[in-house]
Structures are given as C-alpha cells and as structure tokens.
C-alpha cells in the first residue's frame, strides 16, 4: 500500500510540474512571434478596411500594398501556407476575438479547396497553430471535428502535452528568447513574394490521374458557412474570390462538381463572388511560379485586376 | 509499432493491464496475440515466415531431445539451415546477386541477374538468432525441449524484444513464461523508470543528434574535417542512445510484467580496451557469437595464429549479420583487426603495472580516449551509405584534429564556427550547449553504470534526490523529446 501511495504522490508532483510548465508556455506563447499564423491569431486592436484570408494562394499571390494603393484602403493579408478552410475560419475567429476589426473580409476559394483536405493539403489541419487556444469552445469544436478525439482530450487534459508534441514549433528557445516580428511580413502586410524564376520542374500537370468528379468534402462547406456567419454577425462585408490557376493543369482536371458545389453555396447565400480561375490572361506560363501559384509578375497583375473588380463592392 | 509512438503507449497500457487481470493460464495466449499484433504493424504477411520457423524449430527441439546419436545432429542441421536459409534469402540474396552482377560486368560478361523486390522482415536477424540458440541449447542438453507450442512461439515472438533484442537464451526466458508473476509495485516502478530512461535516451538524445549526423553524412564534401569528426562522435552517441534506449524500454516493459530480460549495454564508451568494449556493447549479440561461434571454433585454447583467425572471422560474421553491405563487413573487420592488435600488444609488450595511483588514473583515461577514437573510426563504416563515402569520411576524420588546431592558430576563427555556422546545420550555440549537457549527463550515468545498475544506484539515494532526478528527467523529456521526428530505431533495419 505504501508504495502505491508513493507512486500516486510521484505522479501528482509530475502533474504539478507539467501544469506549471504549461502555465508558463501558455502565457508566453500567446504573446510572442513564432510565424505568420501565430502573429495573426495573437495580434490585437488592429483596425483594417479589409483582410484577405486563404491558403498560400493568398499568402504568396495577394499583394496587399498594391491593393491598398489601388483602392485607397488599409488591409492585411492573413492567408498562410497549407491552411484549409477550418483553419481559415479559426484564424479569422481568433483575429476578431482579439479586438481586431475589419470592414471587409475576402476569402479565397478555388474549386479544389472544397476537396477532402487530406487529399488537397499535405497537412489537413495544422492543429499546432491553435494549441494555446484549446479551451475556447469554438476552437475545441474545430479540433473535435478535425483531429482524433483521443488526441484532442489528451491535449486538453494532460498539461503541456500539446506543446511537447509540437516542441519543434513551440521550442524552448523560441519561448525563452523570442524572435522579433518579421519586419518584411509587416512591411509587405503579410504578402510573401515568390520569385519570377519558376520552380524546378514547372510545368508538370499533376492532376491528370484524378477523375472528373471529385467528392466534395462537406466540412469545407461547413467552415465556409461558419466564416459567412462570423462575418454576418460581426457586420463584415463577406466576399469570395477564386484566384488564377495554371490552366493546363486545371483544364485537365475539370472538377465540375466541385465548381457547382461552390456556386450552389454562393448563390444560395447571395455572396459576392469573383472568379479568376480560368481568365484568359492567365494562360501564359510566364505568370506562374508553379502549377498552383502565380509568380510576382502574375501576382501584381492579378491584384490589380482584383482591385478593379472589387472597388465598387468593398465597404468603405 | 514503434516504442516511441502513441500507438505503443495505448498498446502497452492495454497489454500490461490485461496481463495482470487475466489468470496465469491465459497470459501466454494474450501475450502471444499481442506480440502478433505488434509484429503485424510492420508487414503483416511476414508473420507467416515467423510461424514457419517457429514450427520447424519447435518440432526440431522435441525430436532432438527424443532421439540419440546422429539423428539429433541431422535435426539440428535442418533447424539451423532453415533459419539461416530464411535469413540468407531475405537479407543477403539481393546483395549476393548484386555482387555477382558487378563481377560479370568487371569481366565484360554481358549478363545480369534480376534482383528480387523483397523487403527485409523486421527484426529477422534478432529472432532468427534467438530461435537458433534454442535448438542449439536443446542439442547441447542445457535446455529441455519446450512441449507447449504456444509458449515456444511466445519465446520467439515476445513483443518487447521481438524486433531488436536483447537476443535471449531459452534458459533465461522460456522458464519465466511458465512462472506465475504477481503484480509487484517495486518491479512496476523500476520498469517504468527503465522505460523513462530508455525513452529519454532515444527521443531526447539520439533523435536530436540525428539531424546533425544526417546532414553531414549525406553530403560530407560540404563540410570541414572537424565538422565530420563531430558528426561521427555524435553518431557514436546517437547509435548508443538509440539502441540502448530501445533495450531499456524493452527491459522495462518486460520487467513490469515480472519477466526479466538480459542487460544489453553496460557503459560501453567507458571501455578501456576493444575486448572490454565488446563485453559492454550489445552484450546479447556478442555473447551469442562467443557461445555459438567463437567457442566452437576453439575459443582461446588454440594457437595464436588460429586465435587471430577465429577472432577475425567472428567479427566479420558479426559485421555481416548487421547488414548486407560491404560497409558493415569492413566495420566488423576493423573490430577484428583492433582485437587482434590488442592481443598481440598485450602478449608482446612487457606489462609494467603502474603503481602510482594518479598515473594509473591518467593511463585509464587515455585508454578510454583511444578506444573511443577507434570505435568512432569504425562507426564511420557502419553509418556511411557506401564504401567510397566511408573512405572519404574516414580520411577527413583522421586529419580533423590537427587540421582544426592548425586553423585555430592560423586563421583564428571562432572555435565553434565550423561546427555550427555551416550551411544546412541549423544548430546555434544554445542547441550545441544543450546537446553537450545531455552528453555530460550521459557520461555521469555511464560512470555509475560502469560499476552498478543506475536505477539501483539511484534507489539507494535519499528520496528527494531520487525523485528530483526523475521529475527533472520527465520535464526535460517533455520539453526536448523529438516527438515530431518519429525516427525509427536504427537497429530495426537489421
């Protein structure tokens, strides 16, 4: 019996130790800069005319400074690499929750954004970005839908486990001596320019083997609708746009049912939509960095076209 | 299923829980099923190979015991051939064909044999050797043949040591499956401690050293000799922490159930000679080779030339056991060469026992450094992907220290500069310092392990010290363990 009590006390001390570590990390992590997503979801009291959210096709293909100069507005590019719809929702939710405001929210959605995230993204739900916010009901709901339940409950109830598992992201070094906010990221308002020089191996159509019909993942529509509701409740003008795709790949791919699912959602909710996916301007290889991203020349061209199209539709 | 995975954590809790909940007579069946599940996490179909050898060896054991005279020998040969045959086919067939093709090419014979697309069954070398030790021991009369098929199958498949040892002997393991084990809180806590130390070695030290080693060994031409030297030293610790970490987890997991596995490592880098190193490194394999190859060849009781030949042969076979690549053969040969040189030096140089204690201390320290330097040199061939790459690295390793000292005095660069500020090495001073601290801690543990078992040593200390150590270890584990890398254990490939 005595040894059982000793083991129990030992585990209690371990729990307290981990709890203290978790407390220390939690406080620090929310206030330091790790990467762009951590900045977006932790910054506070910023007031913008617009923010634009989405994946790398926003992060690398939306020149916020150029857009500002063309529209006389002040905005920020909050898109980041590999983010699927659930992440876009959580990012906007936390961004607004921290006291930031925006009059307009632009969401990038292409047809293939509606596919099963496990197929369309290398890391379907980048759970580690939102670890410090576990405990918030909205964040928890999102985790429960996107990660195995057992993992979620372990992260929630075993102190520090969530930071331990992702200590490559939440490394002690970053916590103890945090880096300054990336000045380029601030200077370019979240836009990360891609080289004019194309990626090795471009062009290489990747979608040939995929059938013409691809199942729509309902969770994407679910989170797109959550974004719409969030904007509605926050009195934000919600706009969806589709950025240009490398058409030799896209046309071979022809995921017609995906596009009709997107259109069905847009029409039924009466959302303003601007489609640049198959615009003839973007037939030139020289505008692309790879199959899914414009290079800096293509980005500037697209940002200008988008600004022209949106001018009359943005809330001032 | 990797020991350092979430799946294993769940598996371990369920299996251990069931083990103590079930009556003794059902435990073997539960452990056997659990071991099958554990094995089938890798390539499920390969379990049939394991079953085939289990059936052959099970009947071979029974009939070896039953028969007398030459029949026993024939049965032993059948058992050994079937075990070695399977090992040879899966592990060495393509290596053999590849070399044959190279010979054909060298003599301009335009003929090429086709390589088979087969994957090496995980842990094949380990469980084959364990199965062989059973039939040999039955043949020698040291072990009674196991009549219970399930328990014999469990002896070969026992999950903690199925894929990377320790390679057990039937005298130790088989009998333990028959004994009834009650839940013992002391063994429970002791086993958990051993597992924690093993996980720390693997996930904190080995997995954090791996990126540095991999970066340098992938493109050694990009780095200065001293960087290659440090990467080699790091690899020495990586492989030690990786493999001994695995053994610790296996021993700990088994100890919780009351089944004691043999010690596999005993502070090998504190060895003062190569033969001392081999009595401390992968003990279950080195004693296997000693018992079943070295002694049958004549052991120490032969003439010097024969002794040297025997030793060289044993080390070559040991190298070949590790992998079907000339790099492993060279690694084995190097150790054979070291051992022979050591014997010759000990025989022909007049041993003057140093009486001065301080001098003795220095000499022991010097011996340790020399042995470690030589062992690291051999590790180059173990780690490098090809012989040509190994030779390049070996040359750089040998000139590393003089070249580094020369650069320090001539060029005056910062002492850490070539180690951490090089292209692709993403370590800064803090990382380096932390790795250094981990290695210092390891040195301390090894210093204790040189004389006694570390956990027993710590158990004799005051509670505050003992608990403090484990609490700090747990916290450090959570902060620094490379959960994200999910690196396999190096010895899984064998």
């Amino acid at each position: 019996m005595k040894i059982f009590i000793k083991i129990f006390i030992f585990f209690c001390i371990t729990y307290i130790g981990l709890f203290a570590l978790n407390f220390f990390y939690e406080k620090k992590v929310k206030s330091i800069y790790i990467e762009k997503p951590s900045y977006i979801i932790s910054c506070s009291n910023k007031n913008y005319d617009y923010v634009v959210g989405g994946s790398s096709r926003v992060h690398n293909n939306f020149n916020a400074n150029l857009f500002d100069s063309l529209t006389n507005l002040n905005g920020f590019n909050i898109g980041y690499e590999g983010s699927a719809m659930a992440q876009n929702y959580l990012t906007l939710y936390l961004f607004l929750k921290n006291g930031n405001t925006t009059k307009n929210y632009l969401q990038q959605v292409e047809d293939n954004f509606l596919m099963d995230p496990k197929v369309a993204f290398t890391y379907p739900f980048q759970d580690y970005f939102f670890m410090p916010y576990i405990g918030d009901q909205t964040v928890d709901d999102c985790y429960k839908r996107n990660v195995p339940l057992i993992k979620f409950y372990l992260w929630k109830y075993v102190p520090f486990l969530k930071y331990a598992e992702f200590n490559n992201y939440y490394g002690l070094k970053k916590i103890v001596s945090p880096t300054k906010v990336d000045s380029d990221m601030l200077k370019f308002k979240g836009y990360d320019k891609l080289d004019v020089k194309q990626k090795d191996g471009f062009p290489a159509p990747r979608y040939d083997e995929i059938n013409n019909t691809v199942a729509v993942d309902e969770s994407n529509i679910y989170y797109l609708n959550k974004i719409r509701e969030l904007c509605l409740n926050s009195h934000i003008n919600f706009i969806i746009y589709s950025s240009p795709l490398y058409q030799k790949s896209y046309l071979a791919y022809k995921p017609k049912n995906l596009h009709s699912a997107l259109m069905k959602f847009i029409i039924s909710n009466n959302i303003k939509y601007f489609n640049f996916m198959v615009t003839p301007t973007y037939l030139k290889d020289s505008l692309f960095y790879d199959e899914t991203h414009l290079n800096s020349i293509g980005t500037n061209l697209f940002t200008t076209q988008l600004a022209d199209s949106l001018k009359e539709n943005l809330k001032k | 299923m990797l020991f350092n995975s979430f799946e294993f954590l769940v598996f371990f809790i369920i299996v251990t829980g069931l083990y103590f909940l079930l009556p003794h007579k059902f435990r073997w069946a539960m452990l056997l099923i659990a071991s099958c599940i554990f094995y089938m996490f890798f390539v499920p179909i390969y379990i049939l190979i394991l079953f085939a050898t289990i059936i052959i060896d099970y009947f071979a054991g029974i009939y070896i015991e039953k028969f007398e005279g030459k029949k026993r020998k024939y049965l032993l040969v059948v058992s050994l051939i079937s075990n070695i045959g399977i090992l040879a086919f899966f592990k060495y067939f393509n290596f053999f064909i590849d070399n044959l093709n190279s010979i054909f090419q060298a003599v301009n014979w335009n003929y090429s044999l086709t390589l088979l697309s087969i994957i090496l069954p995980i842990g094949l070398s380990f469980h084959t050797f364990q199965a062989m030790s059973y039939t040999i021991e039955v043949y020698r009369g040291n072990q009674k043949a196991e009549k219970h098929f399930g328990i014999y199958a469990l002896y070969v498949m026992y999950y903690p040591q199925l894929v990377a040892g320790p390679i057990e002997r039937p005298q130790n393991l088989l009998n333990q499956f028959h004994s009834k084990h009650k839940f013992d809180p002391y063994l429970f806590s002791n086993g958990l401690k051993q597992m924690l130390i093993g996980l720390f070695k693997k996930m904190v030290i080995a997995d954090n050293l791996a990126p540095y080693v991999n970066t340098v060994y992938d493109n050694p031409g990009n780095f200065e000799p001293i960087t290659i030297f440090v990467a080699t030293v790091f690899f020495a610790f990586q492989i030690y922490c990786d493999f001994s970490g695995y053994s610790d987890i296996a021993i700990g997991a088994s100890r919780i159930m009351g089944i004691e596995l043999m010690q596999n490592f005993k502070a090998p880098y504190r060895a003062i000679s190569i033969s001392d190193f081999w009595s401390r490194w992968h003990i279950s394999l080195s004693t296997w080779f000693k018992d079943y190859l070295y002694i049958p060849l004549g052991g120490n009781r032969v003439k010097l030339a024969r002794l040297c030949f025997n030793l060289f042969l044993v080390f070559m076979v040991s190298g070949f056991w590790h992998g079907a690549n000339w790099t492993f053969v060279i690694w084995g040969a190097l150790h054979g060469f070291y051992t022979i040189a050591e014997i010759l030096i000990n025989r022909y140089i007049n041993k003057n026992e140093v009486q001065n204690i301080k001098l003795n201390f220095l000499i022991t320290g010097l011996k340790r450094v020399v042995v470690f330097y030589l062992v690291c040199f051999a590790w180059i061939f173990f780690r490098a992907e090809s012989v040509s790459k190994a030779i390049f690295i070996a040359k750089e390793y040998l000139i590393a220290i003089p070249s580094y000292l020369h650069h320090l005095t001539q060029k005056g660069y910062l002492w850490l500069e070539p180690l951490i500020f090089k292209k692709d090495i993403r370590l800064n001073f803090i990382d380096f310092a932390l790795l250094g601290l981990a290695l210092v801690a390891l040195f301390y543990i090894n210093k204790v392990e040189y004389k006694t078992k570390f956990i027993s040593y710590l158990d004799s200390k005051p509670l505050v010290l003992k608990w403090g150590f484990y609490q700090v270890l747990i916290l450090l584990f959570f902060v620094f363990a490379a959960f994200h890398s999910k690196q396999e254990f190096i010895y899984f490939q064998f």
Side-chain angles (χ1 to χ4, degrees):
Chain A
M1 194 63 195
K2 202 178 153 191
I3 197 159
F4 280 117
I5 295 168
K6 275 173 90 176
I7 291 171
F8 178 74
I9 295 170
F10 182 87
F11 279 111
C12 286
I13 296 172
T14 308
Y15 192 88
I16 293 166
L18 290 175
F19 188 84
L21 206 56
N22 188 70
F23 182 77
F24 169 70
Y25 263 64
E26 204 101 316
K27 279 200 112 182
K28 288 290 260 182
V29 158
K30 284 182 182 174
S31 61
I32 60 168
Y33 173 78
I34 301 177
E35 281 174 20
K36 183 182 173 186
S38 80
Y39 171 79
I40 304 294
I41 59 179
S42 65
C43 68
S44 58
N45 303 322
K46 310 264 183 214
N47 300 308
Y48 294 112
D49 295 316
Y50 73 90
V51 289
V52 50
S55 67
S56 55
R57 286 205 284 273
V58 171
H59 178 66
N60 300 121
N61 290 161
F62 183 93
N63 186 342
N65 279 330
L66 179 61
F67 194 88
D68 285 4
S69 66
L70 294 168
T71 56
N72 289 323
L73 295 173
N74 171 33
F76 205 88
N77 173 341
I78 63 168
Y80 53 92
E81 288 169 333
S83 61
M85 202 63 81
Q87 282 170 256
N88 291 168
Y89 167 61
L90 275 192
T91 306
L92 181 65
Y93 165 75
L94 292 167
F95 177 79
L96 295 174
K97 200 189 169 198
N98 288 343
N100 301 298
T101 62
T102 179
K103 291 172 190 160
N104 301 282
Y105 177 68
L106 316 181
Q107 172 67 45
Q108 162 252 343
V109 188
E110 287 83 46
D111 295 348
N112 53 1
F113 218 78
L114 299 180
M115 282 163 62
D116 180 357
K118 289 187 189 92
V119 180
F121 295 90
T122 46
Y123 197 114
F125 177 61
Q126 299 179 86
D127 37 26
Y128 51 97
F129 289 142
F130 309 102
M131 291 290 178
Y133 303 93
I134 285 180
D136 178 296
Q137 191 56 49
T138 306
V139 177
D140 286 3
D141 288 344
C142 200
Y143 269 95
K144 283 182 200 167
R145 288 181 71 106
N146 287 283
V147 300
L149 272 184
I150 188 164
K151 277 206 144 189
F152 166 70
Y153 284 114
L154 283 171
W155 287 335
K156 187 164 180 175
Y157 294 112
V158 180
F160 196 69
L161 189 67
K162 54 182 184 271
Y163 298 120
E165 190 170 340
F166 295 98
N167 60 12
N168 55 328
Y169 184 74
Y170 297 107
L172 182 69
K173 209 167 60 188
K174 287 178 190 166
I175 307 294
V176 176
S177 56
T179 49
K180 284 183 183 169
V181 180
D182 183 0
S183 56
D184 274 357
M185 196 267 293
L186 291 179
K187 188 174 155 192
F188 296 109
K189 297 188 147 192
Y191 164 54
D192 188 8
K193 189 168 84 171
L194 286 176
D195 221 335
V196 176
K197 192 180 164 230
Q198 284 152 342
K199 196 176 170 182
D200 287 344
F202 175 83
R206 301 190 304 177
Y207 301 127
D208 288 356
E209 76 279 8
I210 298 178
N211 293 327
N212 285 350
T213 53
V214 181
V216 176
D217 189 274
E218 284 306 318
S219 76
N220 289 319
I221 300 287
Y222 173 82
Y223 284 111
L224 192 56
N225 193 43
K226 291 290 255 180
I227 294 173
R228 184 189 70 81
E229 285 173 1
L230 185 61
C231 289
L232 198 68
N233 295 335
S234 312
H235 309 292
I236 295 167
N237 179 29
F238 179 46
I239 294 170
I240 293 179
Y241 76 87
S242 300
S243 60
L245 287 165
Y246 182 65
Q247 293 185 32
K248 285 172 198 164
S249 295
Y250 179 75
L251 294 176
Y253 178 34
K254 290 179 191 162
K256 283 177 187 160
N257 63 323
L258 293 180
H259 191 65
S260 52
L262 177 63
M263 290 317 294
K264 190 179 156 196
F265 174 81
I266 286 165
I267 292 164
S268 63
N269 290 293
N270 196 22
I271 298 166
K272 290 167 202 159
Y273 174 58
F274 298 87
N275 184 1
F276 293 88
M277 266 189 293
V278 286
T279 311
T281 319
Y282 302 101
L283 284 168
K284 286 181 191 166
D285 285 10
S286 60
L287 296 176
F288 283 84
Y289 172 74
D290 60 21
E291 282 81 8
T292 47
H293 301 97
L294 294 163
N295 61 18
S296 54
I297 298 170
T299 296
N300 287 346
L301 185 64
F302 164 63
T303 307
T304 308
Q305 284 193 344
L306 188 65
D308 285 344
S309 308
L310 290 182
K311 255 180 193 168
E312 304 306 318
N313 295 283
L314 291 166
K315 209 162 136 183
K316 305 278 172 176
Chain B
M1 196 185 301
L2 299 174
F3 276 172
N4 52 339
S5 68
F6 180 71
E7 291 82 13
F8 178 72
L9 178 68
V10 176
F11 173 87
F12 171 72
I13 293 169
I14 294 172
V15 171
T16 312
L18 280 176
Y19 182 80
F20 288 112
L21 287 173
L22 287 172
H24 173 66
K25 60 179 177 180
F26 298 125
R27 283 179 180 173
W28 70 266
M30 189 279 295
L31 277 181
L32 185 61
I33 293 166
S35 301
C36 290
I37 294 169
F38 183 85
Y39 188 81
M40 286 166 78
F41 253 77
F42 300 103
V43 183
I45 193 77
Y46 279 172
I47 200 157
L48 298 176
I49 300 163
L50 207 52
F51 278 141
T53 55
I54 287 169
I55 292 167
I56 293 168
D57 294 331
Y58 170 73
F59 286 109
I62 288 173
Y63 287 108
I64 285 170
E65 192 178 61
K66 201 173 171 184
F67 293 144
E68 283 179 2
K70 277 189 175 176
K71 274 186 180 174
R72 299 174 77 240
K73 207 170 207 170
Y74 292 146
L75 281 164
L76 177 68
V77 170
V78 168
S79 161
L80 295 182
I81 286 177
S82 59
N83 280 299
I84 295 170
I86 288 170
L87 184 64
F89 176 74
F90 280 98
K91 195 162 180 173
Y92 305 107
F93 183 81
N94 278 346
F95 175 72
F96 177 72
I97 295 294
D98 202 27
N99 280 285
L100 218 55
N101 284 341
S102 302
I103 294 168
F104 291 161
Q105 215 172 15
V107 293
N108 289 326
W109 192 24
N110 197 14
Y111 187 74
S112 171
L113 294 165
T114 318
L115 296 173
L116 296 177
S117 55
I118 42 174
I119 308 166
L120 179 68
I122 196 143
L124 183 67
S125 309
F126 288 92
H127 53 74
T128 301
F129 268 37
Q130 185 155 313
M132 282 163 69
S133 79
Y134 167 76
T135 41
I136 296 170
E137 292 298 340
V138 172
Y139 176 79
R140 286 178 178 176
N142 298 332
Q143 171 68 34
K144 281 190 170 181
E146 178 58 57
K147 305 290 186 303
H148 192 303
F149 180 75
I151 289 194
Y152 175 70
L154 183 59
Y155 162 74
V156 180
M157 294 193 67
Y158 183 47
Y159 90 83
Q161 41 91 252
L162 173 61
V163 290
I167 303 167
E168 279 295 341
R169 304 303 152 80
Q171 295 95 317
N172 179 41
L173 189 59
L174 257 176
N175 299 335
Q176 293 193 68
F177 292 135
H178 288 286
S179 314
K180 196 173 176 178
H181 303 283
K182 280 186 180 173
F183 179 78
D184 182 339
Y186 172 76
L187 290 181
F188 176 76
S189 92
N190 198 293
L192 281 185
K193 287 170 191 169
Q194 187 96 39
M195 289 178 83
L196 173 66
I197 291 173
L199 280 169
F200 189 88
K201 280 182 184 171
K202 163 68 181 160
M203 292 177 75
V204 177
I205 303 179
D207 290 354
N208 280 314
L209 288 171
Y212 191 101
V213 177
N214 295 346
T215 307
V216 175
Y217 268 71
D218 284 349
N219 294 297
N222 289 350
F223 299 95
E224 292 181 34
I226 190 65
T227 320
I228 290 173
F229 180 86
V230 170
T232 305
V233 172
F234 276 7
F235 177 68
F237 286 103
Q238 184 201 344
I239 194 166
Y240 168 61
C241 289
D242 191 286
F243 193 21
S244 76
Y246 180 92
S247 297
D248 285 336
I249 300 167
I251 292 166
S254 186
R255 185 175 293 153
I256 289 172
M257 295 188 284
I259 297 165
E260 197 60 40
L261 299 178
M262 71 184 290
Q263 192 180 4
N264 219 7
F265 291 87
K266 197 183 172 191
Y269 294 144
R270 290 186 69 80
I272 51 170
S273 66
I274 292 296
S275 50
D276 187 25
F277 173 79
W278 278 104
S279 67
R280 298 171 177 281
W281 178 271
H282 201 176
I283 299 167
S284 65
L285 180 72
S286 47
T287 50
W288 196 99
F289 275 116
K290 188 179 120 195
D291 292 345
Y292 304 125
L293 187 59
Y294 179 67
I295 290 175
L297 284 170
N300 292 337
R301 294 171 187 172
V302 286
K303 285 183 178 170
L304 183 63
R306 178 63 197 255
L307 175 70
C308 294
F309 172 78
N310 288 351
L311 280 169
F312 200 72
L313 182 73
V314 169
F315 277 106
M316 290 275 279
V317 175
S318 166
F320 205 47
W321 174 89
H322 280 85
N325 193 329
W326 288 111
T327 52
F328 292 113
V329 178
I330 295 172
W331 172 77
L334 270 173
H335 275 280
F337 172 75
Y338 292 160
T339 313
I340 292 165
E342 192 175 284
I343 286 171
L344 295 177
I345 289 166
N346 284 343
R347 281 208 181 191
Y348 294 112
I349 291 182
N350 188 19
K351 281 191 273 181
N352 292 315
E353 286 296 322
V354 185
Q355 294 303 318
N356 187 321
I357 293 171
K358 275 186 183 170
L359 209 57
N360 229 340
F361 176 76
L362 276 177
I363 289 171
T364 306
L366 191 66
K367 279 180 178 175
R368 280 189 180 129
V369 172
V370 172
V371 169
F372 183 68
Y373 185 84
L374 292 172
V375 168
C376 284
F377 182 76
W379 282 136
I380 293 171
F381 291 87
F382 194 95
R383 173 61 181 80
E385 290 141 27
S386 63
V387 175
S388 56
K389 219 173 195 178
I391 290 169
F392 173 80
I393 294 170
K395 280 182 191 166
E396 299 289 292
Y397 177 86
L398 292 172
I399 61 160
I401 292 174
S403 123
Y404 182 54
L405 293 174
H406 174 76
H407 279 276
L408 270 185
T409 50
Q410 299 296 311
K411 292 187 177 174
Y413 56 37
L414 293 169
W415 67 280
L416 269 175
E417 189 187 303
L419 306 182
I420 60 178
F421 301 120
K422 263 288 204 183
K423 189 187 155 203
D424 297 333
I425 293 181
R426 291 177 187 171
L427 288 183
N428 63 16
F429 180 76
I430 298 171
D431 297 314
F432 228 78
L434 286 170
L435 279 174
L437 269 176
L439 295 184
V440 168
L442 194 68
F443 265 116
Y444 174 72
I445 293 174
N446 273 201
K447 196 180 170 191
V448 176
E449 276 183 343
Y450 193 68
K451 290 172 187 161
T452 179
K453 286 185 177 174
F454 184 71
I455 295 174
S456 316
Y457 165 81
L458 216 58
D459 280 347
S460 67
K461 299 287 168 196
L463 191 75
V464 178
L465 204 70
K466 191 169 62 179
W467 280 24
F469 174 82
Y470 289 115
Q471 291 292 353
V472 169
L473 207 64
I474 290 170
L475 292 184
L476 289 177
F477 175 77
F478 272 94
V479 175
F480 294 111
F483 290 99
H484 51 278
S485 72
K486 292 191 173 64
Q487 297 236 9
E488 279 199 358
F489 288 87
I490 296 172
Y491 264 69
F492 270 25
Q493 60 182 302
F494 309 132

